[in-house]
Amino acid sequence: MKINHTDVKKNASMFIILYIITLSILFFYFSKNESSIQSELKMYKTRLHCIENILKNEKAQQEIEKKALRKRIASDLHDEIGGNLNSIGLLSYIIEKQTPLNEENTKRIQTIQKISEESALAMKEIVWFINPENNRLVDLAYKMKQDLHERLNHLEIQFMFDPNQLNIELSIDSRRHIYMIFKECLQNIIKHSEATKVDVVLSYQQGTLFLSIKDNGVGFPIKAYPNGNGILNLKKRATELDASLRVTSEAKKGAEIILEMFQKSA
């Protein structure tokens, strides 16, 4: 059979032309399709960004409203309940001084005065913690320092902290637990330590809060009283904070309470 080379060349040429045309069509289709996909992706990214901004704005607005509510509640508690407690204390004092009372009724009136004073003080602390203006650790440090000087002014006292280092926000629960641990330690020093000197250190470095309360009092053997002198309450509060608490003490060598808490970043 004789092969016609001319026909072969024509067929080959046609095949190449068709192949090129097919590739061109496919390239044009996929290029157009890819452009459409990129356009849709860009549109979805824009929408997603808008949604994220809306959610951030809503969260910020909710936080503003929450702080405003806390401030209003703090103000109401201070003005109404705090005022009523002070009035109870004042009226009981007037009755005691101006009304003839027997010994039993005098004791009852004095008990009312004591309860109203303690309740007013507790209310004052609650108001302080609710108020959003006291959210920062440095605010708590100044409050602790004030309490230290008011309650242990007869001792040599030192409170060390760097205000710039403590400019972070803590939750109400965290601030209250830290404060109650501090307050319990002061109470133990007053009741049991016979100390003449107290040193307090509060710091915040690399995400870790550190609080040390040390006295030079009589101390106590920890092995004999592992949960004595309010230590059990301190441990419970440290557990609530997800923090570590160490107590070191020896007879006639004072005591030191160390609290360490890792603060997770928001």
Side-chain angles (χ1 to χ4, degrees):
M1 181 178 179
K2 187 176 179 181
I3 298 174
N4 190 331
H5 292 285
T6 302
D7 292 338
V8 171
K9 288 180 180 180
K10 284 182 180 180
N11 291 335
S13 298
M14 288 295 296
F15 176 79
I16 292 171
I17 291 169
L18 287 172
Y19 180 74
I20 292 171
I21 292 172
T22 302
L23 286 178
S24 298
I25 292 170
L26 289 172
F27 178 77
F28 176 76
Y29 172 78
F30 284 114
S31 296
K32 185 178 180 181
N33 196 38
E34 183 181 356
S35 176
S36 176
I37 291 172
Q38 288 178 352
S39 178
E40 288 185 12
L41 285 174
K42 188 176 181 180
M43 179 182 66
Y44 285 127
K45 285 181 180 179
T46 302
R47 289 179 180 176
L48 182 60
H49 184 66
C50 290
I51 292 170
E52 287 176 348
N53 286 335
I54 291 171
L55 291 175
K56 285 180 181 178
N57 291 334
E58 287 181 354
K59 188 176 181 181
Q61 184 62 32
Q62 287 174 357
E63 191 63 28
I64 291 171
E65 291 174 358
K66 188 190 298 183
K67 287 184 177 181
L69 177 61
R70 282 172 51 191
K71 195 169 184 178
R72 188 164 61 251
I73 291 172
S75 178
D76 290 345
L77 287 173
H78 178 271
D79 294 342
E80 296 179 17
I81 299 178
N84 290 341
L85 289 170
N86 288 332
S87 296
I88 291 170
L90 179 61
L91 288 172
S92 62
Y93 176 80
I94 292 172
I95 291 171
E96 181 187 11
K97 294 300 179 183
Q98 296 184 357
T99 307
L101 299 171
N102 58 33
E103 184 178 350
E104 183 179 354
N105 286 333
T106 298
K107 287 182 179 179
R108 288 174 178 172
I109 289 294
Q110 290 173 348
T111 300
I112 292 172
Q113 290 175 4
K114 183 179 179 182
I115 292 172
S116 65
E117 288 173 1
E118 291 176 349
S119 299
L121 182 60
M123 180 60 61
K124 185 178 178 182
E125 288 184 358
I126 291 171
V127 167
W128 190 92
F129 281 103
I130 291 175
N131 194 330
E133 294 179 358
N134 301 321
N135 276 355
R136 299 174 303 162
L137 180 57
V138 67
D139 301 318
L140 180 61
Y142 282 119
K143 178 174 176 58
M144 291 163 65
K145 183 178 181 180
Q146 181 181 354
D147 285 4
L148 182 65
H149 283 275
E150 287 178 355
R151 302 186 68 184
L152 302 180
N153 59 0
H154 58 292
L155 305 181
E156 180 185 348
I157 54 180
Q158 181 172 280
F159 195 142
M160 295 179 61
F161 69 94
D162 180 357
N164 296 322
Q165 190 186 71
L166 306 183
N167 195 25
I168 63 162
E169 289 198 0
L170 294 178
S171 67
I172 294 177
D173 285 341
S174 294
R175 286 183 289 118
R176 182 151 182 81
H177 282 307
I178 293 167
Y179 177 73
M180 295 306 292
I181 288 172
F182 172 77
K183 192 175 178 180
E184 179 79 26
C185 289
L186 295 193
Q187 192 67 19
N188 289 339
I189 291 170
I190 293 169
K191 285 185 176 180
H192 309 293
S193 74
E194 300 179 20
T196 61
K197 183 180 180 182
V198 177
D199 293 314
V200 179
V201 177
L202 179 62
S203 66
Y204 183 83
Q205 292 182 329
Q206 297 180 344
T208 300
L209 182 149
F210 175 87
L211 173 65
S212 166
I213 305 162
K214 186 177 182 180
D215 68 69
N216 67 344
V218 296
F220 60 95
I222 293 179
K223 291 183 179 180
Y225 304 99
N227 293 318
N229 288 10
I231 293 176
L232 184 60
N233 288 336
L234 299 180
K235 288 179 177 178
K236 286 181 179 178
R237 291 195 178 276
T239 300
E240 291 291 331
L241 285 167
D242 196 19
S244 65
L245 183 84
R246 301 198 308 273
V247 182
T248 58
S249 181
E250 292 182 39
K252 299 181 181 180
K253 292 187 178 180
E256 182 177 17
I257 309 293
I258 295 176
L259 176 76
E260 287 185 285
M261 182 184 80
F262 177 73
Q263 177 70 8
K264 296 178 182 178
S265 58

